[in-house]
Amino acid sequence: MSQVSEWHRVSPIAIVFFLFDSLRHAIGLWPALVPVLAGGEHFRALFWAYGLPGLLVVFVTSIFLHYWFFRYTVEADRIQLHTGVLNRKRLTLYFERVQQADIAEPFYFRPFGLATLGLESAGSRQQEVDIPGLRVVDAQALKDRILEQRRTLALIREDSEAGRVGPQLDELDYELRLGWREIARHGLMYNGLLFLAPVMAPLVHNMGPSMEEWILALEGTAIHQLLVNVISSNLAWLVAIISVFAVLSGLFILFSISVLIALVRFWDYRLTRVGDQFQYRAGLATVKTRGFHLHKLQQVTVSQGIVARLLKRYSLTISKAGGAAPTADGQHSKRFLIPVLNHQTLTKIKSQLAIPDGEWRRISAAYIFWRGGIMGSVVAILLVITLLSRDMSPLYALLAYPLSLLMAWRYWWCFGIYQSSQWLAVKTGFIGSQLVWLPIGKAQKVTLNEPPWLKPWRLSVLSVWGADGKIDMPYLPLATAEGIRDQTLYRVVTFGGKWL
Amino acid sequence: MSFNPPVSIEQLRTLDDEPWQPVSPRYATQLRIYLLIYGAVFSALPWFLMSLEGEVRAWTALVSGGLGLLFLALIVFWVPRRVRHTQYLLRQLDMHMRTGLLWRRTTSVGINRIQHMEVTQGPLERGLGLSRLVLYTAGGMKSDLVLPGLPSETARRLKVKILGSPERPESESGIDESGE
């Protein structure tokens, strides 16, 4: 094999990728536009005449230069990249360290059969690398090679020529497909737009004036007289109905948008397993193929929010190393997500990942008194201040305690811990639930905390850090916590084989 | 007789029985100097803020005095106990640190999970001949083990010992970056 590495440039169509990438970064620079808005007429005229065209020229040139200076070479065990225009960077990425590989086929690449290969690596620093403009078949071959897929290059080429993407039925160990109805459920379960809710209701409420105009337009007709009579005699009811209608419309709009986003993100979701290689492929505008090798699994999270509980669905995330830390450009890494599962498919996936149906243990009931007590006291103090300011009896504040204790009891009831020779897990919830599973042998750090207020009861808090987040087991009897800690360390130090 | 007998958890010594090593007594000096500096700043702060307002009231003197006394109490009573109860333990397969008596905290890391290590010292530590040994794992910032108050030579020797341990993973090159 030649010692000299061959450096390749990506396809020129990749310029579109660099365009979108630069736009993303340029949007972050919006504060620079503030002087333009505040600078006055003369300054603005100068800006339009010279500043803006100048900026555009610089922008377009920089995109082209980024493409021109982007080169890569693939060697036996690593990829090397030369990137950057002013800030020249040479990156070396060892295949072994790659946690997750994505193939994204955005709409602008698809007509040309191109894709972007995204690689995430872990180590002391988590890093992301994108190689845009590779041919789909090359990107897949590279991804499979990196993730030690047992499919051969020949098989991949054959599939690609036949228009088949991903592993085929006869070699699959497991497959899960999600139809649009299931994906729509995910949009209902996880509405990232709910933070907009306070904005939506007033917006819809402002439909009021347009309704008024509509009524005014009917002036002089018999309907108008009827409406005026109805409204004036039922004003309070109408205001209430319109307010509720506004809130519901706002929520309806938000949830509809969320469902649409989910459909675009997860269209035609197909999860497959071949040996230890997991992969999913989904998306409408950008088709994303994400894969990882089972031994890289660091944590599994199964969540069920309130809406999900009503729909009897779950979602499952598989985390790999470094997911907790934000990357260089502040983005959180992409997780391997199975957006919607019913009870049956959840059981199947758990068995694919060798997650047992364990017996959950309870933590000490002292949790109820401490948590309920502290919550109750905080609320009681706030209530006392409020009641006193309204000249009402502060004794009502005592109501905070039974309520807080009840809530604390519910949290305690839903809190479970699990330990086996393979897994540590913590289950939390109130109405919904969240289960976090950590492979016990992959624990990074274990801390046993004995705070003074728990000492009289010989209780402690055990925290276990994985490579992507930590789990806390509070209010454990000291002997139990020490036992779990020692078991965990024992499994860690005797863990053979690759784990990262 | 089997040459590879099974090891059960019961045969492993409990952590409490192991020979924990103390940190350097000079760590007390380091802590005292930190507390003096913080104490001076925090005690003077209320008085300073009030004098900006133009009037220094009696309660300001009380708060300043109170804070000053608090830091003094920490320096006199808390520091020696803290130093006495900050200990570390290096075993063949794992590394531990424990601090505190009233609030005990024991942190453990498997040697095979250490990604890399650093021996660092600030200017004060350098003056006292002390260093910190930091063990980085793959879990991000919060999952590091920081061992303070070590004599610099001890810190370096610990690092070399752990680096040379057969339990350590091979070089953790993920992405190597160099400018051009």
Side-chain angles (χ1 to χ4, degrees):
Chain A
M1 182 158 139
S2 158
Q3 286 295 352
V4 176
S5 320
E6 267 185 52
W7 289 89
H8 308 278
R9 267 203 190 90
V10 293
S11 159
I13 320 260
I15 289 182
V16 184
F17 170 86
F18 289 111
L19 168 67
F20 281 111
D21 204 40
S22 303
L23 273 175
R24 245 204 311 272
H25 287 114
I27 288 176
L29 294 171
W30 69 263
L33 284 177
V34 170
V36 176
L37 293 168
E41 275 298 323
H42 183 63
F43 188 75
R44 263 199 287 274
L46 271 178
F47 178 74
W48 286 117
Y50 302 106
L52 196 58
L55 276 177
L56 279 172
V57 168
V58 167
F59 189 69
V60 171
T61 317
S62 106
I63 293 171
F64 179 74
L65 286 174
H66 269 109
Y67 159 74
W68 189 254
F69 285 110
F70 187 97
R71 286 174 298 151
Y72 71 98
T73 179
V74 181
E75 292 165 23
D77 61 347
R78 60 188 181 170
I79 286 186
Q80 294 203 63
L81 290 165
H82 266 129
T83 63
V85 180
L86 294 170
N87 239 339
R88 305 272 301 137
K89 267 198 235 173
R90 189 198 185 112
L91 300 167
T92 308
L93 174 45
Y94 285 87
F95 291 169
E96 230 188 9
R97 287 293 163 194
V98 170
Q99 299 304 302
Q100 185 166 278
D102 285 1
I103 295 182
E105 297 167 63
F107 60 94
Y108 49 84
F109 275 166
R110 275 206 275 179
F112 304 97
L114 297 174
T116 301
L117 178 65
L119 301 171
E120 279 181 48
S121 110
S124 49
R125 248 188 335 160
Q126 196 235 346
Q127 286 260 14
E128 269 186 39
V129 155
D130 282 317
I131 308 174
L134 295 172
R135 288 192 310 154
V136 173
V137 59
D138 291 336
Q140 270 168 12
L142 198 48
K143 167 176 158 287
D144 290 338
R145 182 165 147 198
I146 290 170
L147 298 181
E148 297 162 61
Q149 169 68 296
R150 56 176 193 228
R151 305 174 73 226
T152 64
L153 196 58
L155 207 59
I156 296 163
R157 285 229 151 90
E158 199 184 292
D159 283 338
S160 176
E161 269 142 37
R164 296 190 295 257
V165 182
Q168 302 309 302
L169 267 174
D170 53 352
E171 48 183 348
L172 286 181
D173 294 313
Y174 177 73
E175 189 196 30
L176 171 71
R177 293 196 92 120
L178 295 176
W180 70 268
R181 284 190 190 84
E182 286 299 301
I183 298 167
R185 283 189 174 94
H186 176 83
L188 293 174
M189 284 154 57
Y190 293 101
N191 193 342
L193 299 171
L194 274 178
F195 74 94
L196 284 175
V199 176
M200 289 306 297
L203 263 179
V204 176
H205 214 265
N206 285 337
M207 279 172 19
S210 50
M211 278 171 67
E212 259 184 69
E213 277 176 37
W214 175 75
I215 292 176
L216 280 173
L218 295 168
E219 194 156 353
T221 62
I223 304 171
H224 182 239
Q225 196 54 45
L226 188 66
L227 277 172
V228 166
N229 287 342
V230 166
I231 290 172
S232 47
S233 53
N234 297 307
L235 194 61
W237 279 110
L238 271 171
V239 167
I241 290 173
I242 289 178
S243 307
V244 168
F245 175 74
V247 166
L248 287 177
S249 311
L251 283 176
F252 178 77
I253 293 174
L254 283 178
F255 275 98
S256 306
I257 298 176
S258 177
V259 166
L260 278 170
I261 293 176
L263 286 170
V264 168
R265 249 178 99 189
F266 297 114
W267 186 260
D268 202 23
Y269 185 98
R270 182 181 180 233
L271 170 74
T272 54
R273 176 170 86 86
V274 179
D276 281 342
Q277 167 75 356
F278 282 79
Q279 175 175 288
Y280 78 76
R281 184 183 155 86
L284 196 56
T286 297
V287 177
K288 188 166 289 178
T289 308
R290 178 165 290 170
F292 83 105
H293 205 283
L294 188 56
H295 79 252
K296 312 256 180 187
L297 182 151
Q298 302 296 332
Q299 183 176 295
V300 177
T301 308
V302 180
S303 18
Q304 185 186 51
I306 299 173
V307 177
R309 188 158 173 179
L310 289 169
L311 297 171
K312 299 203 178 118
R313 295 290 188 277
Y314 306 84
S315 78
L316 189 149
T317 309
I318 298 174
S319 312
K320 65 234 178 308
T327 59
D329 60 5
Q331 307 272 316
H332 279 274
S333 79
K334 310 151 202 164
R335 295 194 172 161
F336 193 96
L337 172 66
I338 307 176
V340 185
L341 296 157
N342 59 28
H343 188 75
Q344 206 186 12
T345 45
L346 177 64
T347 311
K348 288 218 183 89
I349 297 278
K350 277 168 71 177
S351 83
Q352 299 293 314
L353 299 172
I355 293 178
D357 263 329
E359 268 185 34
W360 296 92
R361 284 149 68 175
R362 288 241 149 77
I363 56 176
S364 164
Y367 175 88
I368 303 173
F369 297 104
W370 272 109
R371 181 152 182 172
I374 293 174
M375 259 194 332
S377 303
V378 167
V379 174
I381 291 172
L382 289 171
L383 275 177
V384 162
I385 296 173
T386 318
L387 290 167
L388 283 176
S389 68
R390 287 177 195 216
D391 286 326
M392 289 164 71
S393 166
L395 284 174
Y396 285 115
L398 287 175
L399 283 172
Y401 283 101
L403 273 164
S404 300
L405 283 171
L406 203 60
M407 280 179 68
W409 175 86
R410 175 67 190 172
Y411 277 117
W412 172 82
W413 182 258
C414 296
F415 203 111
I417 63 166
Y418 172 82
Q419 182 229 330
S420 75
S421 59
Q422 304 296 319
W423 296 93
L424 283 172
V426 165
K427 180 174 69 145
T428 55
F430 189 76
I431 300 176
S433 66
Q434 190 181 70
L435 287 77
V436 180
W437 295 85
L438 194 67
I440 193 172
K442 296 188 184 176
Q444 300 297 307
K445 178 169 103 162
V446 184
T447 302
L448 183 58
N449 251 312
E450 300 169 59
W453 54 85
L454 291 182
K455 271 208 158 152
W457 289 271
R458 306 266 306 154
L459 293 173
S460 58
V461 182
L462 186 71
S463 305
V464 182
W465 274 263
D468 182 28
K470 72 164 170 149
I471 58 176
D472 290 312
M473 300 183 178
Y475 296 86
L476 286 182
L478 186 58
T480 310
E482 281 172 347
I484 298 178
R485 182 205 43 206
D486 292 342
Q487 266 286 342
T488 305
L489 283 174
Y490 176 67
R491 296 288 165 196
V492 166
V493 301
T494 56
F495 191 91
K498 287 190 278 199
W499 65 276
L500 183 69
Chain B
M1 183 153 103
S2 162
F3 69 92
N4 188 19
V7 177
S8 84
I9 189 79
E10 277 71 36
Q11 289 172 260
L12 301 174
R13 290 155 62 100
T14 67
L15 276 183
D16 282 337
D17 296 335
E18 300 284 22
W20 289 84
Q21 303 296 313
V23 296
S24 164
R26 296 198 297 279
Y27 183 47
T29 314
Q30 179 189 339
L31 286 178
R32 285 196 173 109
I33 297 179
Y34 280 145
L35 283 171
L36 265 172
I37 298 173
Y38 279 112
V41 169
F42 279 107
S43 314
L45 197 61
W47 176 85
F48 179 70
L49 288 172
M50 282 294 115
S51 59
L52 281 180
E53 296 271 306
E55 45 181 310
V56 182
R57 302 211 192 117
W59 68 262
T60 320
L62 264 172
V63 172
S64 285
L67 282 171
L69 273 174
L70 176 65
F71 277 94
L72 203 60
L74 287 174
I75 289 173
V76 171
F77 298 112
W78 178 77
V79 168
R81 281 175 52 154
R82 176 72 178 194
V83 173
R84 205 166 38 242
H85 293 112
T86 301
Q87 298 162 331
Y88 67 93
L89 171 68
L90 174 62
R91 301 199 295 190
Q92 177 83 359
L93 302 173
D94 47 31
M95 172 84 164
H96 309 265
M97 179 175 98
R98 68 181 181 192
T99 56
L101 184 64
L102 190 59
W103 189 332
R104 179 91 71 95
R105 186 193 234 119
T106 313
T107 308
S108 312
V109 173
I111 301 289
N112 61 357
R113 294 284 171 263
I114 298 174
Q115 294 291 310
H116 76 277
M117 291 174 285
E118 267 175 22
V119 174
T120 62
Q121 50 180 188
L124 181 59
E125 285 159 310
R126 202 173 309 137
L128 293 167
L130 297 174
S131 294
R132 259 170 297 148
L133 178 65
V134 187
L135 308 177
Y136 292 96
T137 66
M141 272 183 357
K142 297 272 175 69
S143 73
D144 308 327
L145 197 159
V146 181
L147 198 43
L150 292 172
S152 298
E153 189 49 40
T154 309
R156 276 191 285 271
R157 281 166 58 195
L158 278 171
K159 180 179 171 186
V160 167
K161 178 99 174 80
I162 298 173
L163 262 180
S165 164
E167 313 305 328
R168 278 264 298 128
E170 343 79 58
S171 145
E172 41 81 35
S173 42
I175 289 192
D176 290 325
E177 237 182 73
S178 59
E180 286 196 344

